[in-house]
Amino acid sequence: MIFVDVDGDRRGHRPGGVSRDRVHRLRGLNHAAAAVVPLHASLQAANAVTTTPDDALPREGNFGRFGGRWVAETLMPAVVELERAWDEARADPSFVAAIDTTLRQWAGRPSALSPALRLAAKLGTRARLWLKREDCNHTGSHKINNCVGQVLLAQRMGKTRIIAETGAGQHGVATATVCAYVGLPCVVYMGAVDVERQQLNVLRMRMLGAEVVPVTAGSATLKDAINEALRDWVAHPVDTHYVIGSVMGPHPYPTMVRELQRVIGREAKAQLHAAVGKLPDAVVACVGGGSNAMGIFADFVADPEVALFGVEAAGAGLDGLHAATMARGSEGVYHGMRSRVLQDDDGQLQEAHSISAGLDYPGVGPEHAWLHETGRARYLSVDDDGALAAVTTLARTEGILPALESAHAIAALPEVLALLGYDRDRGEGRDVLINVSGRGDKDMHTIAARMQEPTP
Amino acid sequence: MSDDRVAAAFARARSEERAALVAYLTAYDGGPEHSLACVRAAIDAGADVIELGIPFSDPSADGPAICAAMVRARAHGATVDRVLELLATLRRSHDAAVVLFGYANPMLHKGGEAFAAAAAQAGADGVLVVDAPPESAGPLREPARAHGLHWIPLVAPTTTAERRTLITAGGSGFVYAITLAGVTGAALQEQGSAADATLRAQLEATRAVTSLPVAAGFGVRRRTQVVRLAALADGVVVGTALVEAAQRGPRAVTELVHELREGCLR
């Protein structure tokens, strides 16, 4: 029997190494996991009584004291209209089927669930690691799930124009792509700094026919792009739908986006069940606004035996510039919601920093603030260097180049495994599910520039 | 309330057969001395009510001119407490009605109760919060009321009849009727256009559900526009044009307020 070293050398058996047979056996299980719960079931189930936090609370879209609606009066009728339209649409089997069909026939769902045997070996754990492969979706990230749902909803509502904001460009590309697919005009607001560091995605959006508007105000990143999109929406509240790209903003966005992203966890749950016949013991996902994390968490929130871990960006370090809303933020009202934000002593928002444009946001979705406060989910943070290293680790152990966002989740695994006690000697039979929210092609420029920096 | 400066301002304007002029200025724009000089100039030139803007890092409902004013003000060290100090200083020389205008987070961060107490202590007459619709506003509105401050409600062109009643029922002082769907500083619709008819209908509908004075604003820059709105509303709000004038100095503010005030005559 040949044993494979974590770095690929054939040096015989090492503790933590893994047999090729075992690799094949476990990876083979993935093919048997094709039976997946239909997507529409996930949306319709959302109408049934569930134990997600918001259902226990008043109807205003609150998660404890988080969430709500803090927007200019001009927009209130638009968010009320959106809430009504969403409630009707998700109860309509034909609408739910349209999303289901579009995701399957066009966006590439269901996404794969890949066992990460060599990564587990490299990390020295006997736990089984499973990667939910949102990077395999059309346009390269989980963002497409939400965009398909929201753009189809906007069309159903008779809206004639779509606006969006984007940080990393993934949400902008996904929105522009769905708009091209259904034939709606699309304007994407993007911070000038992000336009610079995500040129490839800017080009993709323009190829798809979207208008990309660079925003130079403030820090010229995601938060300023959101302000500009809100200004556009205030000026066009009747004909325009604003596709918010994360589980943030005024109600109904946080719950609507979670339900549209719930497909991630729903599929993963069924796939893992088919593979090993049980729930995961832990779920790990990166958190900026938090949509991929809420998407994969949603179906496990009511399973208390499943530990949930969100991973936010520590940027240059928690005492420097970062985007660690849980570790260093406090309660505030921002971008239409009450949640946790990075702010100064005067309640002014602070600039966030992460090497990953998608995590570079001083707020977080209100449901995460609630999961944090109630202790249902635990939030860790990973700095820029950790995320960069994790890109290489995943690339060389599993042949997957993750987005810098997703790399934060990978980089947190040693800490997660330590917290769970899944070291070399324990963890056998334990399953850890990690969301690979997007692929890394868009970040190659950023990574190359960083790697060419002289070491101090 | 005999000591209600806001009610007195609208009553005085009504008795003089004109609309009240509501003047917005961003506090601390150009620094505390410059800002205070501009506010004093606006009052001395005849502004009836001052909307004193509290700078915020992310003014998502404001247009470029007021956003830039907030950036300048913060560069001069503006904080909520310093804006209240500026108001307290103004109170030593001026007795005009002053309403604090801003976004929820800096006020909530100080604490709804602490903010209301400090604002009343500094001499504010009311509070107007752009991103606090009636369903959410409680944590700021209730303490404000308890401290004798007006809670100024906003109605928008998109506001439904049902919401108009809800909004105006929770407010006092005056109703701020936003005249267009857009950010501050956008262009007001041309007279006689379909949008103009919508504006008239909006103002009439608002007046039908409240006995509070109604002040119309957003996009008002020139005397001719003031004349139009003065015929329809109890007050006219001017912001962006005044913020631009303040950059040129108190004298420019005086000149603009004189011009606008003439337009308020019916």
Side-chain angles (χ1 to χ4, degrees), chain A residues 154-237:
Chain A
Q155 215 179 17
R156 178 185 161 104
M157 291 170 75
K159 302 290 177 182
T160 54
R161 178 174 175 267
I162 298 290
I163 59 171
E165 92 296 316
T166 197
Q170 292 304 89
H171 174 60
V173 167
T175 310
T177 302
V178 183
C179 284
Y181 180 66
V182 304
L184 278 175
C186 177
V187 177
V188 180
Y189 292 94
M190 190 168 184
V193 168
D194 293 334
V195 167
E196 191 57 38
R197 60 181 168 178
Q198 299 289 347
Q199 289 179 20
L200 185 61
N201 275 343
V202 173
L203 184 61
R204 288 168 79 190
M205 286 184 267
R206 289 183 173 150
M207 289 288 292
L208 289 157
E211 182 190 346
V212 180
V213 181
V215 178
T216 53
S219 55
T221 58
L222 179 59
K223 82 179 180 80
D224 309 289
I226 294 171
N227 289 335
E228 211 54 44
L230 283 168
R231 290 184 188 112
D232 182 313
W233 203 25
V234 166
H236 306 96

Side-chain angles (χ1 to χ4, degrees), chain A residues 6-183:
Chain A
V6 289
D7 295 322
D9 296 333
R10 292 177 187 184
R11 294 187 203 140
H13 181 68
R14 281 164 50 126
V18 62
S19 85
R20 184 164 280 176
D21 280 358
R22 188 162 173 251
V23 169
H24 287 164
R25 193 172 70 246
L26 285 171
R27 285 198 170 144
L29 288 173
N30 194 39
H31 300 298
V36 176
V37 174
L39 301 179
H40 60 79
S42 67
L43 285 169
Q44 285 173 342
N47 290 329
V49 176
T50 69
T51 51
T52 47
D54 58 306
D55 290 309
L57 289 151
R59 191 74 189 93
E60 294 89 38
N62 290 331
F63 308 94
R65 34 176 219 296
F66 301 109
R69 280 177 176 146
W70 295 83
V71 291
E73 176 56 30
T74 309
L75 289 179
M76 281 299 287
V79 295
V80 170
E81 179 196 4
L82 180 63
E83 179 191 14
R84 286 185 190 143
W86 165 243
D87 283 347
E88 280 171 23
R90 71 176 189 167
D92 177 353
S94 70
F95 175 74
V96 171
I99 294 181
D100 187 47
T101 305
T102 306
L103 288 178
R104 285 170 182 278
Q105 294 184 343
W106 180 75
R109 298 215 72 93
S111 70
L113 182 74
S114 306
L117 278 295
R118 285 186 10 94
L119 175 64
K122 170 113 185 162
L123 297 176
T125 182
R126 289 196 180 280
R128 293 174 294 216
L129 306 183
W130 301 88
L131 306 176
K132 182 58 177 165
R133 302 290 308 285
E134 293 300 294
D135 60 311
C136 295
N137 291 342
H138 183 37
T139 71
S141 80
H142 71 290
K143 295 289 186 185
I144 199 78
N145 307 326
N146 173 46
C147 291
V148 164
Q150 281 200 49
V151 172
L152 291 185
L153 179 65
Q155 215 179 17
R156 178 185 161 104
M157 291 170 75
K159 302 290 177 182
T160 54
R161 178 174 175 267
I162 298 290
I163 59 171
E165 92 296 316
T166 197
Q170 292 304 89
H171 174 60
V173 167
T175 310
T177 302
V178 183
C179 284
Y181 180 66
V182 304

Side-chain angles (χ1 to χ4, degrees), chain A residues 320-338:
Chain A
L321 282 172
H322 57 79
T325 320
M326 299 301 183
R328 289 287 191 270
S330 55
E331 205 172 312
V333 164
Y334 183 55
H335 285 159
M337 61 190 171
R338 183 193 285 270

Side-chain angles (χ1 to χ4, degrees), chain B residues 166-214:
Chain B
L166 171 75
I167 291 165
T168 53
S172 66
F174 65 95
V175 178
Y176 188 138
I178 299 168
T179 48
L180 54 84
V183 292
T184 53
L188 190 66
Q189 300 88 339
E190 289 304 311
Q191 192 164 8
S193 66
D196 187 56
T198 309
L199 170 60
R200 284 168 178 272
Q202 179 204 341
L203 291 173
E204 278 165 23
T206 304
R207 294 166 73 94
V209 294
T210 179
S211 56
L212 293 172
V214 177

